[in-house]
Amino acid sequence: MIKTHEIKAQSRKDEGKGASRRLRHASFVPAVVYGAGQAPQSIQIEHNTILLAAKHEWFFSSVLDLNVDGNVQKVLVRDWQKHPFKQLMMHMDFLRVNENEAIRVSVPLHFLNQEKSAAGKTSGVVISHNLTEVEITCLPKHLPEFIELDLGELNPGDIIHLSQLKLPANVEIVALHLGESHDIAVVTANTVQEEVEAAPAEGEAAAAPAAVAAPAKKDDKK
């Protein structure tokens, strides 16, 4: 069952940099909702609401119930601006979704049982997660919060490609629609061999280079 996540917000009329600055001082985040053939709507959300929600993966990869003054809209987070070094969200954009139209969303990958695999237990094997999220397309009601990849059977030398991911029903990977060349590696298990200097052959170490004698000078003929 798909979980629902509600974010409460309020409509706002004041716009511009000055209004946004005042909102931030009052611990609100200015935001805009657009899309679905409707006019953009300026809103404000309590900063603590955004700060707590942003700590969860679902906030950025799920269809949210955005409750604006009691009116609930289905939306996706489309853009956000954070302060360069403070724990502050400066601005957010939400995209309205039509529940009858497919959407494209990047969802996180969860890697399971890596430490239990043969590759994970083998010394000298480096397991690389080449992707940590994947772009999928589906109807909003089928959108998963994440996709799991079980690495329990991963062996040294194995490569897992996009086409090998087990997807929920009615969910497709966008890149695979573009052809085989886009079926890239998600996980690789490469064996790293240490470079060992070749030992000198027997007798080579002790043998010193022969000295080249300087030619003797001939006496000048008188």
Side-chain angles (χ1 to χ4, degrees), residues 28-168:
F28 281 89
V29 179
V32 175
V33 191
Y34 64 94
Q38 302 177 41
Q41 180 183 16
S42 297
I43 63 173
Q44 61 189 43
I45 308 173
E46 288 185 1
H47 188 268
N48 282 346
T49 298
I50 293 297
L51 195 62
L52 291 174
K55 293 180 179 180
H56 301 278
E57 286 181 333
W58 54 257
F59 184 65
F60 299 100
S61 60
S62 298
V63 175
L64 308 174
D65 286 341
L66 184 64
N67 187 332
V68 182
D69 299 332
N71 179 31
V72 177
Q73 308 174 60
K74 297 288 185 181
V75 301
L76 289 168
V77 174
R78 264 299 175 250
D79 193 17
W80 62 93
Q81 298 172 14
K82 295 181 66 176
H83 193 278
F85 55 88
K86 295 182 181 179
Q87 284 281 70
L88 293 175
M89 193 71 77
M90 306 294 289
H91 188 273
M92 299 205 68
D93 287 344
F94 296 93
L95 173 68
R96 299 186 188 97
V97 299
N98 184 330
E99 295 188 79
N100 297 314
E101 294 181 359
I103 54 177
R104 291 172 57 160
V105 183
S106 292
V107 298
L109 294 172
H110 286 188
F111 303 96
L112 307 178
N113 300 317
Q114 175 174 307
E115 67 284 352
K116 298 179 181 179
S117 68
K121 294 178 180 179
T122 303
S123 177
V125 173
V126 176
I127 300 175
S128 300
H129 300 167
N130 302 313
L131 297 178
T132 56
E133 63 181 20
V134 62
E135 187 179 27
I136 61 173
T137 179
C138 62
L139 290 176
K141 64 181 179 181
H142 296 139
L143 179 63
E145 291 184 7
F146 54 84
I147 293 174
E148 293 182 341
L149 177 54
D150 192 341
L151 301 179
E153 300 298 322
L154 189 70
N155 292 306
D158 282 353
I159 301 176
I160 299 177
H161 292 86
L162 281 174
S163 58
Q164 295 172 270
L165 294 179
K166 293 182 179 179
L167 303 175

